[in-house]
Amino acid sequence: MPTSKDIARLAGVSQTTVSRVLLGKPNVREETRQKVLSVLDGTGYVANEQARAMRTRRTGTIGVVTGRITNPFYPELIDALGTAITGRGLRMTLWASDADSGERAAMEAMRGRLVDGVVFTAATKGSPPLAAALRANLPAVLIIRSLDGARCDQITSDNLTGGALAAEHFLARGRRDVAVIGGDDGVSTSRERRAGFLDRLREEGVEVPPEYVIDTDFSHDSAKSAARALFSEAGGPRALFCVNDVVAFGVLDAARERGVAIPRDAVVIGYDDVKMASWDLFDLTTLSQPVEQIAELGVAKLLSRLDDPTRPFEHHRFQPELRIRGSAP
Amino acid sequence: MPTSKDIARLAGVSQTTVSRVLLGKPNVREETRQKVLSVLDGTGYVANEQARAMRTRRTGTIGVVTGRITNPFYPELIDALGTAITGRGLRMTLWASDADSGERAAMEAMRGRLVDGVVFTAATKGSPPLAAALRANLPAVLIIRSLDGARCDQITSDNLTGGALAAEHFLARGRRDVAVIGGDDGVSTSRERRAGFLDRLREEGVEVPPEYVIDTDFSHDSAKSAARALFSEAGGPRALFCVNDVVAFGVLDAARERGVAIPRDAVVIGYDDVKMASWDLFDLTTLSQPVEQIAELGVAKLLSRLDDPTRPFEHHRFQPELRIRGSAP
DNA sequence: GTGAAAGCGCTAACAT
DNA sequence: ATGTTAGCGCTTTCAC
C-alpha cells in the first residue's frame, strides 16, 4: 500500500506537493498537479486517514448512541442519521446497547480522539457517562430525548404538544375512558408525552385515575401484558394513548388475544409513526415526528459546534402531526 | 487533554515507561508501575487511539455494511454484530445504504486504515466495490448472503435446506397449490431458498409453474401487491413460501385487505424468524436462522484472519429450523 | 528495569 | 510555486 512519499518519488516532486494536490490547495502549478494526479491514478493510492486525523485533529467520524434496536423506531432513526452522516462524506460509529455502556464507550472514543463528536439519542436522566461527557464539554448533541439543562444542543419532537393532540382527538370523539400506557419519568419523551396528554385532559375536566397511568418499559411484551390486564377489567378504559408505537403494537396484540375489536371496542393512539404503523394489520393512529429532519439537524448542529464551540446551546422542537388511521378514527 | 508525555513528566519517568504500564508490559518495577498508575488515575488520561493505531496498524474498529434498514431483520443483525464487536472492546462503523455506496465507502475506509476489516451482510453478485475489495485481498467476511468463489470466509444459513423444509411442510399437509414470493437471483439468500424449495417439490413430483415463482424486491409493499394479484385470481396458489419475513408480512397484509383468512383460506411461510414474526397479529410460521451465532462467528473469523491472512477460506452454514405458528400450522 | 531515539504517514509553518 | 522541517502521540527497537 503506497504512501504519499512513494507518490512523491514516482512523480518527482516533494511529498508536500503531493499533499497539496490531494487537498486541492491553490498554490500548485497546473502542470505539476497533472503529473501528480496521473501517478495517483496509476497507483490507486488512498491517504491514510489515521495519519491525516492526527494532524488535523478531525477524524471524520461521528459517534451515534442509541438504545437497543428492539424498537423499530431506532432503525429508522439510525437510517436517517446514517444518511445525514455519510451524505457529508463522514462515517458513523454506532453503539446500540442497553444501559449506559454505549454512552461510556462513546465518551471514551471522544476522549481517545476516535470520533469528532457524538449524537446521543437515548438520553436518560441518571446516566453518569453522559453527564460526565457533557460536563467535560465534549462535543455532543441530544436528539429525540432531551435532558433539562444539558450543556449541548438538543433536537426533539414537541412531545407536550404531541400528547395534547392525542388528548384532543379522544375528547373530540367524546371519549373520557382514557388511559396512558408506557412511561418512565427518567426519559423525556414518555414523561412529556404523558404530561401533555394528561394536562390537556385536565383542562377539559377529565381526570385520569393514577391506576390508569401505567408505567411499563418500552417493550412490546410489557405493554401487551399491561393491556391484557386492562382489557380483562370490565369497566376499564378503552381509549388508550401509548407513549410510542411499539407499546401500541403490544396493546393491539393484547386486544387480539382478548377478542377486543379495534376500533369498535377500544381505540389506540401511538407515537412515532414508524413505517409499520401504516401496515394494514396495525393501521395505527399515531403522532409522527420528522425523523429525517431531526437527524439532519442534529448532525448539522454537532458539526457546527465543532467549528464554533462557544455558540450558545439551543433546543429545537419539531411539531408532531397526528396521523389518523383505523385504530382511532 | 493530557498526553502520555504529560503523565511521564508528572510521574517522573520516561514516556516509554508510561506506555509500558499502559500496555501492561512485564518489565516494569512494581513501585514504578504504582507511581504511574496513581498519576494516571488523577488525570483521567485516555490514550489517543489514533496515534496508537498508527504504530500498531490496528484501529480496533470493524466496518459493517448492511442494506437499507427497512427490513427488520437487519436491525436484529446489527444488534448481534454490535454485541459481538463491542463485547471484544472494539468499535463498529456502520454503512447501511441502498446500492453499493456502503461497500464503496467501506472499501475506502479499509484502504484508508480506518477499519481493520469489514463484515459484509448484503453481498450482491454485481457489486464492483465488493469485488474489488475481495480481489485486493482486503480483510473481509461475508455473512448472511454469500458469493460463489469469494476470496474470504462466509457464514450463512443453509438456505437450500431451509427452502426444502418449507416445501416438506407444505407437502406433509397435502398442499400442492404452492407459490414462491420474492427473489432476485443476484442475491444468494433468495436464490437458494427458492431453489431448495422448488427442488424438493420437484422431487415429489410437484412442478411449480413459472408464473407462480414471483420476482419482487424484498419490500413489504412490493410483496403486498404481488400477493394481491395472486389472491384475486380464483384458482391461484394458496400455499405461499416467502423468501423472507418482510415479504411474508406484505402477503399477510394483502390477505387481510382481500378478506383471505389465514390459515383457513391460505397458508404462509416466511424466512428469518424476526422478533415480530411471533407477535399475535402476524403469528408467522417461518425458518429461523441463528443471527447471534452468525454474527459472532463472522466477527471471530474476521479477527482470526487479521492474525493469519493465509488461513484457507471457509464457508460455514448453520442449519435453519422451522418455527411452526398459526400462519401455516 | 529504564530511557533515548526512531518513525508510523500525514499537514502546516517556514523558508526559498 | 515548491521544498525542507517540525511535529501530531503513540509503540518499538536498541542501549545501558
Side-chain angles (χ1 to χ4, degrees):
Chain A
M1 197 139 283
T3 71
S4 60
K5 218 181 221 165
D6 299 327
I7 306 297
R9 197 165 23 73
L10 289 170
V13 298
S14 77
Q15 184 269 332
T16 310
T17 297
V18 174
S19 182
R20 280 199 263 259
V21 171
L22 250 22
L23 299 177
K25 301 271 176 181
N27 49 343
V28 179
R29 194 152 44 99
E30 189 50 31
E31 200 185 314
T32 320
R33 177 188 307 283
Q34 289 308 329
K35 191 169 52 183
V36 173
L37 283 176
S38 74
V39 175
L40 242 23
D41 241 37
T43 54
Y45 166 84
V46 173
N48 182 323
E49 291 290 336
Q50 301 268 12
R52 185 173 274 173
M54 207 157 151
R55 295 281 349 198
T56 60
R57 308 190 144 276
R58 280 291 177 91
T59 64
T61 301
I62 303 288
V64 170
V65 179
T66 70
R68 210 76 188 291
I69 327 194
T70 45
N71 178 345
F73 175 71
Y74 280 119
E76 295 183 13
L77 180 61
I78 290 169
D79 197 40
L81 284 166
T83 302
I85 291 171
T86 59
R88 287 178 164 83
L90 306 172
R91 282 155 302 276
M92 170 172 75
T93 291
L94 177 69
W95 289 276
S97 54
D98 281 324
D100 52 17
S101 70
E103 287 161 4
R104 193 178 311 280
M107 186 185 170
E108 288 290 290
M110 286 169 94
R111 307 195 54 202
R113 312 226 67 94
L114 282 166
V115 298
D116 293 329
V118 173
V119 178
F120 291 96
T121 73
T124 310
K125 214 161 203 166
S127 166
L130 178 53
L134 297 176
R135 212 176 322 108
N137 247 316
L138 295 172
V141 60
L142 262 45
I143 71 173
I144 307 297
R145 294 188 187 172
S146 60
L147 228 43
D148 288 344
R151 302 174 45 73
C152 66
D153 294 319
Q154 312 198 43
I155 326 280
T156 63
S157 157
D158 183 343
N159 295 299
L160 282 169
T161 299
L165 287 172
E168 281 163 19
H169 187 69
F170 282 157
L171 287 167
R173 269 106 187 126
R175 312 287 311 216
R176 311 195 135 227
D177 56 335
V178 302
V180 199
I181 304 185
D184 171 342
D185 280 341
V187 174
S188 67
T189 46
S190 62
R191 182 180 64 241
E192 294 170 2
R193 289 168 192 177
R194 209 143 84 159
F197 182 76
L198 296 174
D199 288 355
R200 190 75 192 78
L201 285 167
R202 195 170 299 120
E203 284 168 29
E204 299 298 322
V206 178
E207 198 68 44
V208 181
E211 66 269 30
Y212 293 152
V213 177
I214 301 170
D215 282 7
T216 72
D217 58 36
F218 302 116
S219 74
H220 170 275
D221 291 359
S222 312
K224 184 176 172 186
S225 45
R228 196 187 281 138
L230 225 48
F231 287 142
S232 55
E233 196 182 322
R238 293 294 183 268
L240 312 177
F241 175 47
C242 304
V243 295
N244 71 27
D245 286 351
V246 198
V247 168
F249 296 151
V251 170
L252 292 179
D253 246 16
R256 179 185 179 84
E257 188 192 277
R258 283 285 184 252
V260 173
I262 304 290
R264 198 195 62 195
D265 303 334
V267 290
V268 179
I269 298 182
Y271 206 117
D272 286 344
D273 194 23
V274 297
K275 289 278 177 323
M276 281 166 45
S278 64
W279 291 6
D280 288 12
L281 282 164
F282 298 113
D283 199 24
L284 181 71
T285 294
T286 187
L287 288 139
S288 93
Q289 45 178 340
V291 196
E292 285 86 2
Q293 290 181 53
I294 292 177
E296 168 58 33
L297 187 60
V299 172
K301 288 282 178 211
L302 180 59
L303 294 176
S304 93
R305 179 153 309 281
L306 295 177
D307 292 329
D308 176 12
T310 64
R311 178 169 60 69
F313 302 125
E314 300 167 18
H315 186 156
H316 188 96
R317 289 180 182 80
F318 282 96
Q319 287 309 305
E321 282 176 26
L322 186 67
R323 301 257 184 270
I324 301 175
R325 300 202 184 93
S327 75
Chain B
M1 198 139 285
T3 71
S4 60
K5 216 181 222 164
D6 298 327
I7 305 298
R9 197 167 22 73
L10 289 171
V13 298
S14 76
Q15 185 268 334
T16 310
T17 297
V18 174
S19 183
R20 280 200 261 261
V21 172
L22 249 22
L23 299 177
K25 301 274 177 181
N27 51 343
V28 179
R29 190 150 47 99
E30 189 50 32
E31 197 185 316
T32 320
R33 176 188 307 282
Q34 289 307 330
K35 192 168 52 181
V36 173
L37 283 176
S38 74
V39 176
L40 241 25
D41 240 37
T43 55
Y45 166 85
V46 173
N48 182 324
E49 291 290 334
Q50 302 267 12
R52 183 172 278 174
M54 208 155 150
R55 293 282 347 200
T56 59
R57 305 188 146 276
R58 280 292 178 95
T59 65
T61 301
I62 303 288
V64 170
V65 179
T66 70
R68 209 78 188 293
I69 328 193
T70 44
N71 178 344
F73 174 71
Y74 280 119
E76 296 183 12
L77 180 60
I78 291 170
D79 197 42
L81 284 166
T83 302
I85 292 171
T86 60
R88 288 177 163 85
L90 306 172
R91 283 156 301 278
M92 170 173 73
T93 291
L94 178 69
W95 289 276
S97 54
D98 281 324
D100 54 15
S101 69
E103 287 161 5
R104 193 179 309 281
M107 185 187 170
E108 287 290 289
M110 284 168 95
R111 308 196 53 203
R113 314 227 67 96
L114 282 166
V115 297
D116 293 329
V118 174
V119 178
F120 291 96
T121 72
T124 311
K125 215 160 202 168
S127 167
L130 178 53
L134 296 176
R135 212 175 323 110
N137 247 317
L138 295 171
V141 61
L142 262 43
I143 69 172
I144 307 299
R145 294 188 189 173
S146 60
L147 228 42
D148 287 345
R151 302 174 46 73
C152 65
D153 294 318
Q154 311 198 44
I155 325 279
T156 64
S157 159
D158 183 342
N159 294 298
L160 283 169
T161 299
L165 287 172
E168 282 163 19
H169 188 68
F170 282 157
L171 287 168
R173 267 101 188 132
R175 310 289 311 216
R176 311 194 134 226
D177 56 334
V178 302
V180 198
I181 303 185
D184 170 341
D185 279 342
V187 174
S188 67
T189 46
S190 61
R191 182 179 63 241
E192 295 171 1
R193 288 167 194 178
R194 210 143 81 160
F197 182 74
L198 296 173
D199 289 354
R200 192 74 194 79
L201 285 167
R202 194 170 299 122
E203 284 169 27
E204 300 297 323
V206 178
E207 197 68 43
V208 181
E211 65 268 31
Y212 294 152
V213 177
I214 301 171
D215 281 8
T216 71
D217 59 34
F218 302 115
S219 74
H220 170 274
D221 292 359
S222 312
K224 184 177 171 187
S225 44
R228 196 188 280 138
L230 226 48
F231 288 141
S232 55
E233 198 182 321
R238 294 292 184 268
L240 313 175
F241 175 47
C242 304
V243 295
N244 71 29
D245 287 351
V246 200
V247 168
F249 296 151
V251 170
L252 293 179
D253 247 16
R256 181 187 177 83
E257 188 193 275
R258 283 283 184 254
V260 173
I262 306 287
R264 200 197 58 194
D265 304 334
V267 290
V268 179
I269 298 183
Y271 206 117
D272 285 346
D273 194 23
V274 298
K275 290 278 177 327
M276 281 166 45
S278 64
W279 291 5
D280 288 11
L281 282 165
F282 297 111
D283 200 23
L284 181 71
T285 294
T286 187
L287 288 140
S288 92
Q289 44 178 340
V291 198
E292 285 85 4
Q293 289 180 55
I294 292 177
E296 169 57 33
L297 186 59
V299 172
K301 288 283 178 209
L302 180 59
L303 294 176
S304 91
R305 180 153 307 282
L306 295 177
D307 291 330
D308 176 12
T310 65
R311 179 170 58 69
F313 302 125
E314 301 168 17
H315 186 157
H316 189 97
R317 289 178 182 81
F318 282 97
Q319 287 310 305
E321 284 177 26
L322 185 67
R323 300 258 184 268
I324 301 174
R325 300 203 184 93
S327 75

